[in-house]
Amino acid sequence: FLLYPPHFKSLKVIRQIMEALAVVTSVKYGIWASAIILWGVAQGGPMVWQDWMLIASHTAMAVEALLFVRFFSCKWIALCLAALWTLLNDTMDYTYGIYPYLPRTLTDDVTQVRTFTYMLTLVSIVAAWLAMLARNRKVSSYRELA
């Protein structure tokens, strides 16, 4: 969508929703994966080289999403849909026990992980909203200069 922007209104709407989901979920799962790995290690779990790779790549994923917001065309309604979808996903994960892999040391802390996950979702939504606000302010200041 960045390389070949759509010309049809329906595809533009799909693009906006996908971009909003990309920002919210990339920030959320980028931080979530890193935090869960470190939380598991803090409770006595082993730290292997793959964990370091996952921490680096997931943290970079979260940062990258916030950097790319300036190129996105997502609107507020798309962000609201992404927020609802992500919160629904959290509800399904922790209601039906289909949440992502947890280190063995965290299997007795699912309630705390659930709370952390919901809070992180809310933080990710706010981060996406703030990034979109900054993008819109920059765009409007460029228009004022023109």
Side-chain angles (χ1 to χ4, degrees):
F1 284 130
L2 289 176
L3 294 176
Y4 304 105
H7 299 292
F8 299 109
K9 184 170 177 76
S10 59
L11 288 177
K12 288 179 183 180
V13 171
I14 291 170
R15 173 189 179 174
Q16 291 174 7
I17 294 169
M18 287 179 63
E19 288 172 348
L21 277 167
V23 174
V24 172
T25 58
S26 291
V27 170
K28 174 191 173 181
Y29 289 114
I31 296 169
W32 186 90
S34 300
I36 292 298
I37 291 168
L38 294 172
W39 190 357
V41 169
Q43 291 197 9
M47 181 74 143
V48 295
W49 71 268
Q50 292 95 334
D51 292 333
W52 289 111
M53 183 271 306
L54 287 168
I55 288 171
S57 63
H58 279 80
T59 302
M61 178 176 74
V63 171
E64 180 183 36
L66 293 173
L67 290 174
F68 269 84
V69 169
R70 63 187 172 160
F71 302 115
F72 291 170
S73 63
C74 52
K75 306 278 190 225
W76 304 111
I77 190 74
L79 180 60
C80 290
L81 290 172
L84 289 172
W85 178 269
T86 310
L87 289 166
L88 175 64
N89 181 67
D90 292 345
T91 301
M92 297 301 289
D93 281 355
Y94 292 96
T95 300
Y96 297 105
I98 53 174
Y99 47 83
Y101 168 81
L102 295 175
R104 258 190 216 123
T105 54
L106 294 182
T107 55
D108 59 341
D109 296 323
V110 173
T111 302
Q112 291 87 348
V113 171
R114 180 187 64 220
T115 302
F116 171 72
T117 302
Y118 275 106
M119 291 293 113
L120 188 56
T121 297
L122 296 174
V123 167
S124 299
I125 294 164
V126 170
W129 175 69
L130 291 173
M132 287 174 60
L133 253 175
R135 177 199 67 195
N136 292 344
R137 283 193 180 151
K138 188 174 264 187
V139 168
S140 66
S141 66
Y142 286 141
R143 286 184 185 147
E144 289 171 6
L145 293 174

